[in-house]
Amino acid sequence: MSTSGQVQNRGQDQGRAWVLRRVRPLGGEPVDVLLADGVIAGWRPAGSTGPDSEGLPPGTTILDTDGLILLPGLVDLHTHLREPGREDAETVESGTRAAALGGYTSVFAMANTNPVADTAGVVEQVYRLGIDAGHCDVRPVGAVTVGLGGQRLAELGAMAGSAAGVRVFSDDGHCVSDAQLMRRALEYVKAFDGVVAQHAEEPRLTEGAQMNEGVVAARLGLPGWPAVAEEAIIARDALLAGHVDSRLHICHVSTAGSVDIIRWAKAKGWRVTAEVTPHHLLLTDDLASSYDPVFKVNPPLRTAADVAALRAGLADGTIDCVATDHAPHAAQDKETEWAAARPGMLGLETALSVVIETMVVGGRLDWAGVADRMALAPARIGGLKSPAADASGSVAVGAPATLTLLDPSPWQVVDPQALASRSRNTPYAGRSLPGSVRATFLRGRPTVLDGKIV
Ligand SMILES: [Zn+2]
């Protein structure tokens, strides 16, 4: 009966009204914002005269934010929630708890679960688990091929037409390497304005690969994952997307060459979008020298030149958005020797901080840019409805009150034991990162207040 209790609580919360005093939408001038009935009901410049309670709905809670930055609720196009199948590593409940604490209000749950999310039944199961957990919206990603096997198309139409309303399809973890299957998937998803999200990795070029192919791999004697294995697939798929006029999204772009190819594809007018992970914006393959498998990830950490190109590509919009590729792993799969360790890193609770460090601190993105790359663009790519703030910094009255309140200034040391995820494989353990999510609102209901789950 806990589920119905939660539903009831959510209903009550949605009826509650909030005033966010002295928030700064996208870092602009402070305003007081009224949230009521799940939407942004109005706003006025902070410090306007009149008693706080004047004209407010009964029972309104006033939250004095003291100048916190208001961002639209963050959207992650690339999350591994591990349920069903690997609940020892993460569950929908624990993963979405981590998401809310990181400022996220929607996550797209990747399909490489057990069973694979390749039918209407499985995507609806994940979708409902998200509703039951209630920390943020869960949008299941459907597999492109049955069982991620790369042999025949999954029932894309049935998943699109299910209660989960799937719009993003991906075999992530595996590349759809068969060009004819990829072409057919791109053609198929046009019927419901879907998008195929490709894990770009030419499989023959990465057999046995353990890290980025380059000078560090040569020194360590580890088999390399060459940049061309990613770039060749992106070039091929951009050509296919252009040929059939469909939407292609590139997961976790990691090389300078990939940025160039995506820039070229966009210049052609093809409908190609791309994401970069926080870890590829900050970390380099030098970290493999430690042989600490927490730094093993697919695609691998690359060179400093790649990092610079990814930052520039995200700043100029060639790369549309940041996506976490949050990939929790149980200790026995990760805390082992490098060659045996599973690839992947946690990301949800640190993503905004890494973006602040890599993009905001150096002046590459302002807060409107952060809102675009972490909320508006991924929402658009994933087919979500309009977020709460527009890129000009105005608060959109009538929009869903789906918001994140951020204190950008404190630097905090990442403590893996303090994370909400069930797993501990953060590459930032012991590292100081800027910014702290103080509150997250989902359609007017707080999921996080004072930095803690509500
Ligand atoms: Zn992937």
Side-chain angles (χ1 to χ4, degrees):
M1 299 317 289
S2 66
T3 299
S4 64
Q6 284 172 10
V7 169
Q8 202 173 31
N9 284 339
R10 280 204 291 279
Q12 286 166 358
D13 279 338
Q14 259 174 32
R16 269 173 79 184
W18 295 77
V19 170
L20 311 178
R21 286 191 60 200
R22 293 191 292 163
V23 290
R24 297 190 293 129
L26 307 189
E29 291 303 307
V31 297
D32 297 342
V33 178
L34 174 63
L35 315 180
D37 300 321
V39 301
I40 296 175
W43 64 275
R44 63 182 187 186
S48 302
T49 53
D52 283 335
S53 57
E54 187 184 349
L56 294 178
T60 299
T61 306
I62 293 174
L63 198 67
D64 196 335
T65 77
D66 201 21
L68 293 179
I69 292 173
L70 183 152
L71 297 172
L74 306 184
V75 176
D76 189 15
L77 276 177
H78 194 144
T79 306
H80 296 277
L81 294 176
R82 302 298 188 214
E83 188 177 5
R86 285 309 300 263
E87 291 83 354
D88 57 330
E90 198 76 287
T91 63
V92 171
E93 204 284 333
S94 65
T96 54
R97 187 179 279 257
L101 289 165
Y104 286 92
T105 51
S106 287
V107 298
F108 285 76
M110 276 299 173
N112 61 339
T113 49
N114 185 12
V116 170
D118 60 0
T119 63
V122 178
V123 296
E124 287 187 350
Q125 178 192 357
V126 172
Y127 178 68
R128 296 211 166 91
L129 286 168
I131 292 172
D132 288 346
H135 302 303
C136 75
D137 289 340
V138 173
R139 312 299 308 205
V141 174
V144 176
T145 67
V146 174
L148 310 177
Q151 298 297 314
R152 57 197 174 91
L153 284 187
E155 294 176 357
L156 310 185
M159 290 188 274
S162 75
V166 176
R167 290 295 177 272
V168 181
F169 296 87
S170 182
D171 273 3
D172 183 58
H174 302 267
C175 183
V176 181
S177 61
D178 182 314
Q180 177 66 0
L181 261 183
M182 188 63 186
R183 174 189 175 151
R184 285 173 52 211
L186 286 165
E187 289 175 323
Y188 200 132
V189 299
K190 289 173 72 176
F192 34 83
D193 195 29
V195 60
V196 180
Q198 176 69 293
H199 169 117
E201 175 182 357
E202 210 298 312
R204 293 278 288 143
L205 290 173
T206 59
E207 283 176 7
Q210 290 291 329
M211 65 170 294
N212 179 46
E213 181 180 295
V215 293
V216 181
R219 194 177 76 233
L220 300 179
L222 288 172
W225 196 132
V228 67
E230 175 173 306
E231 294 156 5
I233 293 293
I234 296 176
R236 181 201 77 177
D237 288 354
L239 289 162
L240 285 173
H243 184 59
V244 302
D245 186 26
S246 185
R247 287 210 295 140
L248 169 70
H249 179 71
I250 308 296
C251 297
H252 42 52
V253 171
S254 71
T255 80
S258 296
V259 178
D260 286 341
I261 294 164
I262 293 161
R263 193 175 283 121
W264 164 78
K266 287 188 166 183
K268 290 280 192 182
W270 299 336
R271 294 192 286 163
V272 176
T273 57
E275 70 191 31
V276 62
T277 70
H279 48 270
H280 287 112
L281 289 172
L282 181 61
L283 308 177
T284 63
D285 62 352
D286 289 332
L287 289 162
S289 304
S290 67
Y291 290 105
D292 184 341
V294 80
F295 299 116
K296 182 174 175 179
V297 65
N298 188 13
L301 300 177
R302 304 287 188 183
T303 68
D306 294 306
V307 167
L310 294 169
R311 292 180 182 184
L314 184 64
D316 72 18
T318 302
I319 298 174
D320 300 80
C321 65
V322 174
T324 67
D325 196 5
H326 177 83
H329 286 298
Q332 72 267 23
D333 295 325
K334 195 65 178 169
E335 292 166 19
T336 176
E337 70 269 32
W338 181 281
R342 302 284 301 277
M345 302 172 164
L346 301 184
L348 287 167
E349 293 174 77
T350 47
L352 184 52
S353 291
V354 173
V355 170
I356 294 171
E357 172 165 358
T358 57
M359 303 301 294
V360 179
V361 170
R364 293 179 184 86
L365 284 182
D366 59 14
W367 294 111
V370 172
D372 181 72
R373 305 305 193 272
M374 296 189 78
L376 311 187
R380 198 165 57 237
I381 293 164
L384 301 183
K385 298 216 173 69
S386 63
D390 71 32
S392 69
S394 65
V395 176
V397 173
T402 296
L403 311 164
T404 295
L405 300 184
L406 168 75
D407 182 348
S409 47
W411 287 70
Q412 295 171 308
V413 175
V414 176
D415 173 8
Q417 301 307 322
L419 297 174
S421 174
R422 278 209 177 171
S423 295
R424 295 287 167 262
N425 53 307
T426 174
Y428 311 112
R431 185 187 279 261
S432 186
L433 293 174
S436 170
V437 171
R438 304 313 302 161
T440 309
F441 282 84
L442 180 63
R443 290 180 290 277
R445 176 177 62 86
T447 55
V448 171
L449 279 179
D450 202 22
K452 298 182 181 67
I453 286 284
V454 174

